[in-house]
Amino acid sequence: MIEMQEVSKTYPNGVNALSGINIHIEQGEFVYVVGTSGAGKSTFIKMMYREVRPSEGTISVNGINLSKLRLNKVPLLRRNIGVVFQDFKLLQNLSVYENVAFAMEVIEEQPAVIKRRVMETLELVGLKHKARMLPTELSGGEQQRVSIARSIVNAPKVVIADEPTGNLDPETSWEIMNIFEEINLRGTTIVMATHNKEIVNTIKHRVIAIEGGKIVRDEAKGEYGYES
Ligand code: ADP
Ligand code: ADP
């Protein structure tokens, strides 16, 4: 479902962030992406939702070849890929409900469908009772729940998460991981960049390690593999 062939990325400033990347991720897999800071993890996952375009090679997601994807088809891709960020990226002047509904409005879903799906999704992340609140009225963990709800409300086949627990305390991080586990159990592919050693070594999944822009390790039920 996610495939990269001989992918490399050199940024306009000349930094060679990735080279010779070949991967194949099946529908329903849960994959951790680990590596030291500057290794190329963010570049790697940003290419999956076309935030970054490769300098060389081909990438396909759900059978859509991203290099050939026309700009007017990017919304179609985004509908099939949910994205969760370390810093949540919620719209501060919109309520919890509106932040989640927004992701459905941009794809012009019907109002009745939006209302039902948003409430179902908020229930799944345990925030139905805070639907009317603003992001500033929520804890970090709650804000990340909203962001997860936004990422899955259109029922994407894959969710990409860039250090989703990076700003959260350990207990809250485990709660957020439980939600990702639940989403994965429902069949959604998860690709998550993380520095959380405890989580990677406890909730075992495939581990792809990147160093110096190359994949140096790719193991089923792997270990974090770094000291911290
Ligand atoms: P990681 O997520 O593992 O910390 P990144 O993918 O963010 O790694 O970065 C890999 C390399 O690419 C680093 O040397 C970083 O400085 C560089 N880099 C990342 N984004 C850009 C950019 N937009 N322009 C130029 N260089 C970048
Ligand atoms: P842009 O891509 O120009 O930032 P969009 O209209 O695509 O604007 O997105 C608006 C908001 O929705 C942004 O806060 C963005 O982070 C969020 N967003 C867009 N697509 C997704 C997605 N697939 N999953 C999660 N959040 C998304």
Side-chain angles (χ1 to χ4, degrees):
M1 83 132 345
I2 300 176
E3 191 136 11
M4 295 193 188
Q5 286 175 340
E6 293 302 322
V7 165
S8 69
K9 176 64 185 181
T10 303
Y11 283 106
N13 62 357
V15 172
N16 182 218
L18 290 175
S19 54
I21 301 291
N22 290 289
I23 51 139
H24 182 90
I25 296 173
E26 299 278 359
Q27 178 64 44
E29 277 197 82
F30 194 131
V31 182
Y32 294 119
V33 180
V34 305
T36 46
S37 193
K41 303 179 298 294
S42 291
T43 302
F44 178 68
I45 67 175
K46 281 177 179 168
M47 289 196 306
M48 295 176 184
Y49 57 98
R50 207 174 177 275
E51 178 74 20
V52 169
R53 303 190 69 177
S55 312
E56 286 174 68
T58 56
I59 304 173
S60 73
V61 177
N62 276 334
I64 304 172
N65 183 336
L66 299 203
S67 13
K68 291 192 178 149
L69 193 68
R70 295 209 174 178
L71 214 54
N72 65 357
K73 290 281 168 22
V74 171
L76 184 74
L77 175 77
R78 297 275 160 90
R79 182 192 180 138
N80 284 293
I81 303 182
V83 186
V84 175
F85 305 94
Q86 178 172 4
D87 60 357
F88 325 131
K89 295 199 192 299
L90 299 175
L91 298 167
Q92 297 300 315
N93 54 339
L94 298 186
S95 70
V96 165
Y97 178 94
E98 289 162 345
N99 264 279
V100 180
F102 185 76
M104 297 190 83
E105 285 158 5
V106 296
I107 63 162
E108 295 173 1
E109 193 58 86
Q110 290 182 13
V113 177
I114 294 179
K115 196 170 178 197
R116 177 170 52 78
R117 277 288 299 167
V118 171
M119 290 318 279
E120 279 170 9
T121 309
L122 286 177
E123 184 154 37
L124 175 72
V125 302
L127 276 184
K128 201 173 166 184
H129 60 299
K130 297 201 172 174
R132 291 169 187 276
M133 291 196 180
L134 291 171
T136 49
E137 298 175 291
L138 304 178
S139 68
E142 289 170 336
Q143 290 183 59
Q144 193 58 296
R145 286 167 190 262
V146 178
S147 141
I148 293 171
R150 177 182 64 189
S151 79
I152 60 169
V153 75
N154 289 322
K157 294 204 168 61
V158 53
V159 171
I160 312 283
D162 199 349
E163 297 197 36
T165 62
N167 283 349
L168 307 175
D169 61 60
E171 195 186 322
T172 308
S173 298
W174 286 108
E175 289 167 13
I176 291 298
M177 286 306 298
N178 286 335
I179 298 174
F180 280 110
E181 283 293 301
E182 177 67 33
I183 294 167
N184 180 240
L185 285 173
R186 295 176 180 215
T188 307
T189 308
I190 311 272
V191 181
M192 180 183 295
T194 182
H195 280 123
N196 198 315
K197 180 185 174 184
E198 305 306 322
I199 284 173
V200 174
N201 288 345
T202 306
I203 309 178
K204 290 294 189 86
H205 292 296
R206 178 175 172 185
V207 174
I208 293 178
I210 299 182
E211 284 308 330
K214 291 192 160 65
I215 293 178
V216 293
R217 186 155 54 92
D218 184 351
E219 297 167 341
K221 300 202 180 294
E223 293 275 330
Y224 183 68
Y226 298 91
E227 272 318 301
S228 60

